[in-house]
Amino acid sequence: MSFMRLDKMLSSMGIGTRNEIRKACRDNRIMVNGTIIRDPSVHIDPDIDIVSLDEEPVLFTRYVYFMLNKPAGTISATSDSRTTVLDLIDCSVKGLYPVGRLDLDTEGLLLITNDGPLGHQLLSPKNHVEKEYLVQLKTEIEEGNLEPIRKGIRLNKDETCLPAEVRITGERECRIILQEGKFHEIKRMFSAIGNEVVYLKRLRMKDLVLDESLAPGEYRELSEAEIAGLKESAH
Ligand code: URA
């Protein structure tokens, strides 16, 4: 048994903001077990109580959100003969999946959740969700060579990348911010300017920053503020 506020349950199911839910309560549109509820702060057990809006039941799924520091050598998939990122998460909730893919040898921030709508919004190309990476390169980088990447580099006759922000942080190291997620995008961008990525780590996805206290392979649940930030930035 686990109680939660009615407005929290409804907003986590995407029914509306807390204000919209308060108004729906005032307008007698919300029922719990067949009784109209005018106070959005009442506590309910979403696994047992039947909540409805305009007489339509609102089905509850308990969403979970984990930040994983993906280690190299794990695959960003839900099932595979090799170790997947889900094998690292000790949680029996069904429907978990990684939001986006990192290459087998890439480390860093990976969001794992069962919240399909949120993942969909974060991955939708039209939302241009920023992703920041630490890149280490085989040979020295020079400002002059980065121009094509900053402008939007053409990878082949069918694929051109969106402009990316790049900041040099060492002789062979930089930070790059992408607005999209093409296959092997960063590796192909640097290969197109004659360099080679030797290490890649995702540090940030929109406002969600990798918790540096997590060693590769470790994970933790997101805080309420981190979840709220992601949902906001996904709109
Ligand atoms: N770009 C790459 O080349 N690989 C990743 O894993 C992510 C971005």
Side-chain angles (χ1 to χ4, degrees):
M1 195 181 288
S2 133
F3 289 98
M4 71 195 291
R5 281 175 59 126
L6 176 62
D7 53 1
K8 187 168 178 212
M9 177 265 179
L10 287 166
S11 67
S12 74
M13 290 301 101
I15 297 301
T17 61
R18 296 269 180 111
N19 275 341
E20 287 163 350
I21 290 159
R22 194 173 310 128
K23 178 156 188 325
C25 279
R26 274 203 310 269
D27 295 343
N28 299 332
R29 295 171 59 203
I30 294 177
M31 291 201 279
V32 177
N33 302 326
T35 303
I36 288 175
I37 301 292
R38 292 181 59 90
D39 176 3
S41 72
V42 295
H43 283 74
I44 57 153
D45 182 341
D47 296 324
I48 294 176
D49 293 321
I50 298 168
V51 177
S52 58
L53 169 71
D54 298 331
E55 297 182 18
E56 288 294 321
V58 178
L59 297 181
F60 181 69
T61 311
R62 200 173 288 281
Y63 286 145
V64 290
Y65 305 86
F66 297 105
M67 166 192 297
L68 169 71
N69 184 356
K70 176 191 172 300
T74 51
I75 183 144
S76 303
T78 49
S79 70
D80 197 271
S81 54
R82 293 162 292 178
T83 306
T84 73
V85 289
L86 291 190
D87 293 330
L88 304 175
I89 310 281
D90 184 15
C91 172
S92 57
V93 167
K94 293 223 172 4
L96 286 180
Y97 70 100
V99 177
R101 283 169 180 270
L102 292 176
D103 294 342
L104 190 66
D105 56 354
T106 301
E107 294 187 353
L109 176 65
L110 196 57
L111 172 65
I112 311 254
T113 182
N114 58 340
D115 183 342
L118 177 71
H120 190 75
Q121 283 170 350
L122 289 169
L123 294 177
S124 165
K126 70 176 191 306
N127 284 335
H128 297 298
V129 170
E130 275 189 7
K131 278 147 259 158
E132 181 170 350
Y133 295 81
L134 166 72
V135 189
Q136 287 173 351
L137 295 147
K138 192 163 182 184
T139 57
E140 204 174 320
I141 352 169
E142 282 164 33
E143 287 291 345
N145 297 338
L146 294 172
E147 189 68 5
I149 293 183
R150 289 181 170 139
K151 284 197 161 147
I153 194 163
R154 187 152 189 227
L155 298 175
N156 55 49
K157 72 176 183 10
D158 301 320
E159 280 181 295
T160 302
C161 299
L162 288 175
E165 270 177 57
V166 194
R167 185 162 52 89
I168 296 178
T169 50
E171 211 172 88
R172 294 178 201 175
E173 189 185 279
C174 67
R175 300 278 183 105
I176 185 164
I177 301 175
L178 301 188
Q179 312 285 339
E180 58 183 348
K182 293 191 196 302
F183 182 65
H184 292 333
E185 184 161 7
I186 298 175
K187 290 174 184 161
R188 291 196 293 154
M189 280 171 152
F190 282 95
S191 149
I193 60 163
N195 212 325
E196 190 187 321
V197 173
V198 292
Y199 175 77
L200 190 57
K201 178 179 183 182
R202 181 150 70 190
L203 303 174
R204 180 172 67 84
M205 184 176 186
K206 198 77 188 181
D207 297 334
L208 186 66
V209 177
L210 177 66
D211 182 337
E212 287 292 344
S213 71
L214 297 173
E218 289 183 346
Y219 66 94
R220 68 156 169 82
E221 281 202 56
L222 297 197
S223 67
E224 292 275 331
E226 285 169 334
I227 297 168
L230 274 183
K231 287 188 173 172
E232 204 159 286
S233 60
H235 289 130

